[in-house]
Amino acid sequence: MKGLLIFIFGFITTQLAFSQDSQNDEIAKITSGKFTVHRAVEKSRNDFRFETASKPWPVEFKMNNSRCEEVFIKRAGIIDETYKVDLPKYPAYYSTSTSEIVVTVIDKKIYYYKWSVKSGSEIVYILSGKSVSSYDSEKSTLDDYRRNILEKQKNAREERIELKNELAEQEAALNTLEGKEIKAITVKMVKETPEIGHLTIVGIGVEVELADGTILKTKNLGGKTPYSDFDFKVTGGDYAGGDFKVANDASKISNDEITVVAKSKFSNNSVSGKFSHKLNYKSDIFYQFQGGSGQFGRANTVGYSKNGGNGRDGKSVNVFAELKTINGQSVNEITITNATTGELMSTCKLHVDSKITINVSGGNGGSGASGDYASDHNGGDGGNGGNAGDVMLTGSGTHSLDITVLSNGGKGGQGGKGKTSYDISGSNGTSGANGSLIK
């Protein structure tokens, strides 16, 4: 008899567990109105009890035929909250993008809660026209519903994925240039950018007018035509994904302007559009010619010393600035060469209102290793800091060039401590010499 009862109980429990109705069916059993609010309160650690509030909350179920698409709750009678269905064909809950809270209706009770796949529900409120059970009992009911309804959502979820893919294919077909007759192509700046110089990033989009009058646009202009449908030819920088990045080297910019030419990559590609923009070189420039830092000491490691490595010296550079008028603007044309070897380091152009910063600081010395891991228990010496380089400025733009030079000698590395007070600590490295700006 005992075994039979266990079997019957297990059978009933199993049937209940797998008889979850969708939210459309559950909400069909209830009507919009005002509901008594039962708030979950933690009396002690993990001991939750429900307390009944004095003021009911209005709730409205917004239906579309037999489906509930939204649940509207006026929280505390004053705060409007709208929760949208998760899976219209077989919903399990309603959610909002602005909160962790989700809403589920079971047996005419409106559960207002947070959900975790790992720990299940955390009930905040239950809105109901009837009494509620204990917190643990209500949580168990809600957890069982959410977990067991997943299997029933499977087909609806797969159908939604198929529909989504179908819509995506339709959208792609509407927006592609493939097979379309093109009347005109316009290439234009997404947002007016008054100051453009080296390394400035400019949004540039494409608008296409088809023979039937339809207008297609790239994403950065509010459309959905992919950039990959175009062949682009550019000068003065690089273009990808709707962004044009101006070259950092003046020798790669012809006629002090940037250009983008676009045409369809498909067979009907005789029509093209061109964008060009004169540069005023109003963008700050930063050059790094500093020395690298020395390696940290490593004790008892093959190929390494417990002493820190010395920081490397910063490069000394010659900066020749020639003041010119370019595109109606006062611009310095700058050539930077290695003062020791004469090697050309860079060429750039800079508006007189913009700033160039050149870092020729020495690298820091590496710290010595601690004696804790050294066979002699003594700490390693810190490496010396590298010397900073000098910047020699010449040319007609000397007095109009807004230049900042970072030319600090590298800091000496810290000596490593001995393993004990009886062991020798390493000595600190010396700092490198500062450089200077020479005009």
Side-chain angles (χ1 to χ4, degrees):
M1 178 62 71
K2 182 178 179 181
L4 179 60
L5 289 173
I6 292 173
F7 171 78
I8 293 172
F9 179 78
F11 175 79
I12 293 173
T13 302
T14 301
Q15 291 302 303
L16 289 174
F18 288 94
S19 65
Q20 277 77 13
D21 291 328
S22 79
Q23 285 298 284
N24 291 326
D25 296 323
E26 289 287 352
I27 290 173
K29 305 171 189 176
I30 194 171
T31 57
S32 301
K34 293 184 177 181
F35 292 84
T36 301
V37 179
H38 305 276
R39 177 170 172 257
V41 178
E42 190 172 18
K43 295 294 185 179
S44 59
R45 185 173 177 79
N46 295 324
D47 179 20
F48 290 89
R49 307 290 176 87
F50 287 112
E51 293 183 353
T52 303
S54 58
K55 187 175 182 179
W57 293 3
V59 178
E60 181 184 356
F61 301 104
K62 298 187 176 182
M63 309 297 294
N64 182 2
N65 295 323
S66 60
R67 294 183 181 182
C68 180
E69 297 181 341
E70 295 180 354
V71 177
F72 171 81
I73 297 177
K74 187 175 281 290
R75 180 160 57 90
I78 57 174
I79 302 172
D80 293 346
E81 297 179 342
T82 300
Y83 296 86
K84 297 187 177 182
V85 67
D86 71 316
L87 196 62
K89 192 169 182 180
Y90 207 95
Y93 62 88
Y94 297 79
S95 64
T96 174
S97 60
T98 59
S99 169
E100 296 180 89
I101 295 296
V102 292
V103 172
T104 295
V105 178
I106 306 173
D107 190 24
K108 299 183 180 181
K109 295 176 183 177
I110 304 167
Y111 292 84
Y112 185 103
Y113 63 101
K114 299 177 184 178
W115 178 258
S116 164
V117 174
K118 183 178 180 181
S119 58
S121 61
E122 179 187 334
I123 300 173
V124 182
Y125 301 104
I126 294 179
L127 283 61
S128 177
K130 57 183 179 179
S131 62
V132 296
S133 302
S134 68
Y135 181 89
D136 289 343
S137 176
E138 297 289 2
K139 173 177 166 57
S140 178
T141 297
L142 180 56
D143 290 352
D144 287 345
Y145 178 88
R146 283 294 303 268
R147 287 175 173 139
N148 289 312
I149 202 173
L150 284 174
E151 183 62 30
K152 291 193 173 185
Q153 286 189 307
K154 182 179 179 181
N155 290 338
R157 189 175 290 108
E158 290 174 350
E159 288 178 14
R160 184 171 68 171
I161 292 172
E162 290 176 2
L163 177 60
K164 185 177 180 181
N165 291 338
E166 183 179 338
L167 292 174
E169 290 175 3
Q170 292 175 0
E171 185 176 87
L174 287 172
N175 288 283
T176 185
L177 299 181
E178 186 173 9
K180 309 284 178 64
E181 185 177 350
I182 297 172
K183 180 179 180 181
I185 295 178
T186 304
V187 186
K188 57 186 176 181
M189 195 179 295
V190 175
K191 181 180 179 182
E192 188 64 30
T193 307
E195 300 181 353
I196 305 179
H198 295 294
L199 299 181
T200 300
I201 295 176
V202 184
I204 296 175
V206 186
E207 183 176 286
V208 178
E209 182 182 359
L210 302 181
D212 63 3
T214 301
I215 302 295
L216 300 180
K217 301 177 182 180
T218 52
K219 183 178 180 180
N220 57 0
L221 293 176
K224 296 181 179 179
T225 299
Y227 301 103
S228 57
D229 276 13
F230 298 91
D231 282 330
F232 293 102
K233 291 184 178 181
V234 303
T235 64
D238 298 305
Y239 182 74
D243 288 330
F244 189 102
K245 186 176 183 180
V246 182
N248 65 345
D249 189 335
S251 65
K252 297 179 180 178
I253 303 174
S254 301
N255 301 319
D256 296 302
E257 67 177 3
I258 57 174
T259 66
V260 177
V261 177
K263 63 180 181 179
S264 171
K265 75 173 186 180
F266 301 106
S267 56
N268 180 19
N269 62 0
S270 59
V271 180
S272 65
K274 181 178 180 180
F275 169 85
S276 62
H277 191 85
K278 298 292 184 181
L279 301 180
N280 55 24
Y281 295 104
K282 288 186 176 182
S283 65
D284 294 340
I285 299 174
F286 198 105
Y287 284 108
Q288 301 274 18
F289 300 124
Q290 75 270 34
S293 297
Q295 184 172 269
F296 280 68
R298 295 174 64 178
N300 292 339
T301 303
V302 176
Y304 293 89
S305 169
K306 70 176 181 179
N307 299 319
N310 294 329
R312 287 176 283 282
D313 295 338
K315 291 183 174 67
S316 289
V317 295
N318 295 322
V319 177
F320 178 75
E322 186 177 2
L323 185 61
K324 293 184 175 182
T325 299
I326 297 176
N327 293 330
Q329 303 287 324
S330 295
V331 175
N332 276 305
E333 187 171 355
I334 301 167
T335 303
I336 303 176
T337 57
N338 187 310
T340 303
T341 65
E343 174 192 2
L344 177 64
M345 309 293 286
S346 183
T347 61
C348 65
K349 294 177 182 179
L350 185 71
H351 194 278
V352 293
D353 292 338
S354 297
K355 181 178 181 179
I356 183 171
T357 301
I358 301 178
N359 187 353
V360 290
S361 296
N364 296 327
S367 295
S370 169
D372 291 344
Y373 303 102
S375 56
D376 60 5
H377 298 170
N378 295 328
D381 295 331
N384 296 325
N387 296 322
D390 296 319
V391 174
M392 281 69 73
L393 177 60
T394 59
S396 61
T398 299
H399 299 294
S400 61
L401 186 66
D402 186 355
I403 184 170
T404 295
V405 173
L406 305 178
S407 55
N408 298 313
K411 296 179 180 179
Q414 293 288 320
K417 292 184 178 180
K419 183 173 183 179
T420 70
S421 58
Y422 300 102
D423 298 310
I424 300 172
S425 294
S427 59
N428 295 333
T430 59
S431 294
N434 294 332
S436 58
L437 170 62
I438 304 170
K439 295 184 180 181

